Amino acid sequence: ASAVGAANCYLLSRLFFSELVQRKFGERMEKWNNQLQRHRENLLSYVILLRLAPFPPNWFVNMCAPHLNVPLWPEFFIGTLVGVAAPSVVHVQTGMLLENLVEEHSSGVSIFSLKNVAMLLAVAVLATLPVAIRWALARHEAKKVGINVDALDQGEEDEESRSISEA
């Protein structure tokens, strides 16, 4: 239901509210678009992790994604479906635990059970797995053609530290 609702919001924003979204959220969208550009190759994984994290708010993602060229299918819809499903299961389990707590007046019920935390971590690891595989394959290919990948990694770190210090 969350994925369908988010997709409806995405479509409404794209079809009817383009100017309003640009006017109200233009600056925030620019910042987010910079992040999106760095993750274009791994957009599905990025959307899943975005949905698992509590920021930015889901309504912002739903409204702005169509204006930043995030495809509805499969990246936005599947990423939302997977990224929202895991926390939803935890929320349902939490609700059931709270119901048991009220009914039985028991104590010692933990929302942050090993099972719940492990499930969320497993989804996060699975979402980042394609990114790690692509990174490893790119390094392997670079070594094959004689590119010093350690120097490349150092150059990226230097570039990131320069951009952070400039901000």
Side-chain angles (χ1 to χ4, degrees), residues 7-167:
N8 285 330
C9 186
Y10 176 106
L11 291 171
L12 288 170
S13 178
R14 182 169 71 184
L15 294 173
F16 301 113
F17 301 112
S18 182
E19 289 180 28
L20 177 66
V21 170
Q22 292 288 342
R23 189 173 65 240
K24 290 289 187 183
F25 305 114
E27 187 176 313
R28 287 178 70 186
M29 283 174 48
E30 245 181 76
K31 290 178 185 176
W32 188 37
N33 193 37
N34 292 335
Q35 290 179 357
L36 279 174
Q37 293 311 316
R38 290 191 305 246
H39 300 286
R40 278 286 168 198
E41 295 174 3
N42 308 301
L43 202 51
L44 180 62
S45 297
Y46 180 75
V47 172
I48 291 170
L49 291 173
L50 194 65
R51 295 303 187 162
L52 284 171
F55 39 85
N58 284 332
W59 63 264
F60 178 77
V61 174
N62 297 343
M63 299 275 300
C64 297
H67 310 291
L68 298 175
N69 300 319
V70 175
L72 177 61
W73 184 264
E75 285 86 352
F76 183 82
F77 186 81
I78 298 297
T80 298
L81 180 68
V82 173
V84 171
S88 294
V89 169
V90 172
H91 295 150
V92 168
Q93 288 180 340
T94 302
M96 292 182 343
L97 286 172
L98 290 174
E99 180 184 15
N100 290 339
L101 180 65
V102 170
E103 286 178 1
E104 300 172 11
H105 303 292
S106 62
S107 62
V109 177
S110 175
I111 294 169
F112 296 106
S113 69
L114 181 60
K115 179 181 172 183
N116 290 347
V117 172
M119 183 182 62
L120 291 175
L121 286 174
V123 170
V125 167
L126 287 174
T128 58
L129 195 57
V131 177
I133 291 170
R134 283 190 194 122
W135 178 82
L137 288 174
R139 286 179 60 90
H140 179 70
E141 291 298 317
K143 284 181 181 179
K144 269 186 176 177
V145 296
I147 297 173
N148 184 355
V149 291
D150 295 328
L152 288 177
D153 289 343
Q154 182 62 37
E156 289 174 3
E157 289 173 10
D158 292 344
E159 187 176 308
E160 287 176 10
S161 62
R162 267 187 265 130
S163 64
I164 291 171
S165 65
E166 289 172 0

